[in-house]
């Protein structure tokens, strides 16, 4: 059995031979060693038509040792191609990322918040002024409505006031001592002192 480590893997290889020559690759100890290996194993035992237990236990089977070497070692041209491809993709991704960041930066710098940082504050001040003016106008209107309503109520009360009738030539007569209103003749007797309230003053009188 010939072992060779290439590109972090193990190649188990042997040229063609008789069944007896290849029989060691059918041994249990060999199969278990291949199975327990931490590194990947490529089996290349015998010719392409030959099969051993090692072929089935290994991670990969190659028809010949040379083919196993080709599988284990990456082709330098393929490797360079992939590296160049990844390099181009990385550059394109970085370029695209840079363009996006530049666009975001320009958008931010062209924003009114950056060009005129006090604009938003001034707009809020104007909004507050409008709100205060609206509240002030609302309170002024409400106060005017209250005053108008109060004047109307006072006018109604004044029209219903007993004193209002005095301006039309009527008078209010009361007993002088009790201020009891005299409504009919039976409310007084001879000798009672009375007061007669007229529009511009009070008259004293005595019942006879």
């Amino acid at each position: 059995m010939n072992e060779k480590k290439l590109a972090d893997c193990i190649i188990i290889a042997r040229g063609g031979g008789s069944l007896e020559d290849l029989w060691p690759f059918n041994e249990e100890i060999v199969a278990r060693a291949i199975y327990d290996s931490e590194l990947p194993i490529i089996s290349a035992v015998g010719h392409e038509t030959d099969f051993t237990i090692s072929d089935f236990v290994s991670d990969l089977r190659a028809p010949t040792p040379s083919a196993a070497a080709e599988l284990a070692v990456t082709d330098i041209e393929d490797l360079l191609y992939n590296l160049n491809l990844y390099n181009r993709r990385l550059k394109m991704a970085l370029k695209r990322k840079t363009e996006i960041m530049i666009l975001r930066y320009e958008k931010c710098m062209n924003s009114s918040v950056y060009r005129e940082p006090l604009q938003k504050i001034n707009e809020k001040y104007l909004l507050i002024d409008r709100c205060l003016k609206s509240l002030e106008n609302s309170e002024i209107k409400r106060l005017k409505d209250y005053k108008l309503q109060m004047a109307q109520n006072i006018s109604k009360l004044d029209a219903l006031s007993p004193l209002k009738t005095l301006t039309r030539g009527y008078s209010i007569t009361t007993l002088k001592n009790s201020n009891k209103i005299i409504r009919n003749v039976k409310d007084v007797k001879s000798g009672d002192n009375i007061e007669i309230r007229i529009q511009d003053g009070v008259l004293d009188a005595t019942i006879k």
Side-chain angles (χ1 to χ4, degrees), residues 128-145:
I128 292 175
D129 290 340
R130 287 197 297 270
C131 292
L132 290 176
K133 191 65 176 179
S134 177
L135 288 174
E136 182 180 354
N137 293 335
S138 178
E139 290 301 318
I140 292 175
K141 183 179 182 302
R142 185 179 299 178
L143 183 59
K144 288 182 179 179
D145 292 341

Side-chain angles (χ1 to χ4, degrees), residues 31-76:
R32 289 188 178 277
I34 295 173
Y35 181 81
D36 294 334
S37 174
E38 296 181 359
L39 293 175
I41 294 181
I42 302 176
S43 177
V45 178
H47 298 294
E48 186 174 357
T49 56
D50 296 322
F51 286 95
T52 63
I53 293 177
S54 297
D55 295 331
F56 300 101
V57 181
S58 300
D59 297 280
L60 188 63
R61 178 181 182 273
T64 62
S66 58
E70 292 178 359
L71 293 173
V73 179
T74 304
D75 184 85
I76 189 63

